[in-house]
Each structure stands twice: as structure tokens, then as C-alpha cells.
Amino acid sequence: MSEMDFIHNVIPRTDVIKCTARIGAEIGNIKLSADLPDQTIAAINSLVLEHKVIFFRDQGHLDDAEQERFALRFGKLSPYPEGLTPILEIDSAVGDIHADIWHIDWSCMDAYPKISVLRGVVIPPVGGDTVWSNTAAAYLDLPLPLQRLADDLWAVHSFPGSYLRPSADAFTGPMIETEHPVVRVHPETGERTLVLGVYVARFVGVSKYDGQRLFDLFESHITAQENTVRWKWKQGDVAIWDNRATMHCATKDYGDQRRVVRRATIEGEVPVSVGGRYSVPRFKFVGRNES
């Protein structure tokens, strides 16, 4: 039995509606819970690998505890630098975590999360969409000379990231920095995916001037419309994505309305470059006041 036959024997083909040709699918007629059969969890994981991000409507029965239990079916929960709570709340009324900039969740970590599970809790009546991009498709769109260039490049990802640079000196939380290949080989699909986003501080061996232009060039392919899907949230929606093959960006266009989403992330693997080298952690959960 092929992988696709297995998926469709568990989740009917008619319940998988593609959002775009390259990324995203909405899955119907499944009530997410930690008690789903192993074959259903395996089918969901396969759909995440295939479509990069999948969406489930009408999951209002989930609370934080059940979201955590469900996420655990995909692996070990990944801690957040802000704290060790299994569920991270992103509340527009509490503070701005700059989710409206293209990023890979916690790419400053060496083994950054492989899967993210995001639940819509309070959704504004207008706006607040999230956009995802397929970084494997973006890599394939690069002309061959640019693919070869990207294959050889490494970048330093740091927290505080580049978008926090003006206030970095006042930051007292954990300092994290990792050297990642710009192209990683996906451990499950074998695809080559681009590893960039807002945590990138600099390219290794490249001047800041040239690095900024390289960053803009590769990011322009990642964020090209043909590689993206835009999700219009409703309360109770759940999105699950492959954090190794996507980047995403929240849309901050809802004015003074409140937006609350809660996310669980699953611990990932240390990336491996096209040449077989592993990412190198420089600083790992080290506070500024520690020796």
C-alpha cells in the first residue's frame, strides 16, 4: 500500500481540500484529541509533510490541556525561551512578540521545533490572518546557480533576533544563537528547504552589505505569492505546520481588536546541510547575568 493509499484509507480523499497548488489543505470531519487512533495521527503527520500546513475548523472543544495532550502525540514538547510552559499564549492585548514578521518558530535554537500546533482562541471580526510559505518550493524555484550558492551558505540565527536589535542591550532573558545552513535536508522527506527569517543576524563569511542583499534575494522567493497560503481564522480553528519546511507571518491588520492564539511546539532535529554538516549552537539558553 502506498503512502497516499494509507492516508486516504484513514482520512477520506473528500475530506482533504487543498488550499493552493503548492501549500495548505483543510481537513474535514475530524475531532482532534489525544485519543485519536495511532493510524489517524500517522495520517495527519503525513498530510503535514505533504501540504506543509493543514487546517481544522470547529475544534472549540479543545482547551489548553487537551491541546497539549494532542500535540504530545507527535513528539516531545519543545520549551520556549520565555519559559517552560507547554502552551505559549500570543495575546495582542498583552504585548507584541513581532509575529507579524516572516519567521521560522525559534530558528535561533539548534534543534528548533519540527511541528507547531496553533489554536484560535479569540479572533477579531476582521483581519488577523496568518500566511505560510513553502520553503521547499521556494528552493526549487531558485535558478541552479542560486541553489548552489544557497547550498554553501550558513547564517547565524539569534535571540534576541534582528528585529530586537535596538533593545538587545537591555534584554535580560536567555541569549540563544545558532549557526544554521541556509539550506537544510528535511529528515523525513529528503527535500531541501530554505532556513531564513527574522532570527537571522548575519551570514557567515559575508559582509553585512552583501548579506542583506542575499537575505532579500532569497526571502523574495520564499514570500512569492505562488508559494504562500493565507488562512482566515475563526474561533476554534487549529493549524498544524511543518516548521522545517515553512515560514509564516501573522497579519497585524485588526486595529484595537483583541487576538489570542495558543501554540504548542514539538521538539525537532538538529538541521543537516546539503554537505552533511550539522548546525552549531553558539549560545544555548544562557542568561546575560551568567558566566
Side-chain angles (χ1 to χ4, degrees), residues 48-124:
V48 170
L49 294 177
E50 178 185 357
H51 298 288
K52 312 310 181 194
V53 56
I54 59 176
F55 307 101
F56 299 83
R57 296 282 194 193
D58 304 318
Q59 305 296 317
H61 61 281
L62 292 176
D63 57 14
D64 287 1
E66 188 60 19
Q67 181 181 356
E68 177 185 349
R69 289 182 63 235
F70 170 72
L72 279 167
R73 295 295 304 276
F74 297 91
K76 182 181 177 182
L77 292 182
S78 177
Y80 298 107
E82 307 102 319
L84 299 179
T85 56
I87 301 292
L88 175 68
E89 180 171 87
I90 304 168
D91 185 346
S92 63
V94 173
D96 188 355
I97 68 166
H98 303 277
D100 56 329
I101 307 173
W102 283 99
H103 63 286
I104 297 168
D105 283 339
W106 294 118
S107 67
C108 55
M109 299 166 64
D110 55 347
Y112 61 81
K114 67 176 183 177
I115 289 176
S116 293
V117 180
L118 189 66
R119 173 169 60 101
V121 179
V122 178
I123 303 301

Side-chain angles (χ1 to χ4, degrees), residues 11-235:
I11 300 174
R13 189 183 303 268
T14 53
D15 289 341
V16 180
I17 308 300
K18 293 184 72 170
C19 299
T20 76
R22 291 188 171 186
I23 181 173
E26 182 176 345
I27 316 301
N29 298 316
I30 290 184
K31 184 177 181 179
L32 299 179
S33 88
D35 300 323
L36 287 171
D38 289 346
Q39 60 182 6
T40 304
I41 296 296
I44 290 172
N45 187 75
S46 294
L47 289 170
V48 170
L49 294 177
E50 178 185 357
H51 298 288
K52 312 310 181 194
V53 56
I54 59 176
F55 307 101
F56 299 83
R57 296 282 194 193
D58 304 318
Q59 305 296 317
H61 61 281
L62 292 176
D63 57 14
D64 287 1
E66 188 60 19
Q67 181 181 356
E68 177 185 349
R69 289 182 63 235
F70 170 72
L72 279 167
R73 295 295 304 276
F74 297 91
K76 182 181 177 182
L77 292 182
S78 177
Y80 298 107
E82 307 102 319
L84 299 179
T85 56
I87 301 292
L88 175 68
E89 180 171 87
I90 304 168
D91 185 346
S92 63
V94 173
D96 188 355
I97 68 166
H98 303 277
D100 56 329
I101 307 173
W102 283 99
H103 63 286
I104 297 168
D105 283 339
W106 294 118
S107 67
C108 55
M109 299 166 64
D110 55 347
Y112 61 81
K114 67 176 183 177
I115 289 176
S116 293
V117 180
L118 189 66
R119 173 169 60 101
V121 179
V122 178
I123 303 301
V126 177
D129 301 352
T130 304
V131 185
W132 283 265
S133 171
N134 182 338
T135 59
Y139 175 84
L140 290 175
D141 277 350
L142 292 173
L144 186 57
L146 290 183
Q147 287 184 2
R148 291 171 176 162
L149 173 61
D151 289 346
D152 290 335
L153 285 172
W154 287 68
V156 174
H157 294 236
S158 69
F159 177 82
S162 57
Y163 61 96
L164 287 174
R165 287 290 174 206
S167 58
D169 289 340
F171 184 76
T172 58
M175 181 71 180
I176 307 169
E177 193 169 89
T178 302
E179 196 174 297
H180 285 304
V182 169
V183 180
R184 72 176 292 184
V185 179
H186 195 290
E188 294 186 70
T189 67
E191 296 173 299
R192 296 183 181 187
T193 66
L194 293 168
V195 184
L196 289 168
V198 74
Y199 288 106
V200 171
R202 63 188 182 278
F203 288 93
V204 177
V206 178
S207 72
K208 182 178 180 180
Y209 177 89
D210 291 330
Q212 185 63 57
R213 279 146 188 80
L214 286 174
F215 181 87
D216 293 342
L217 173 62
F218 291 126
E219 288 261 320
S220 70
H221 284 269
I222 292 170
T223 60
Q225 289 190 14
E226 61 268 25
N227 291 325
T228 64
V229 62
R230 186 183 186 107
W231 185 249
K232 189 170 291 295
W233 289 93
K234 294 180 181 178
Q235 185 173 327

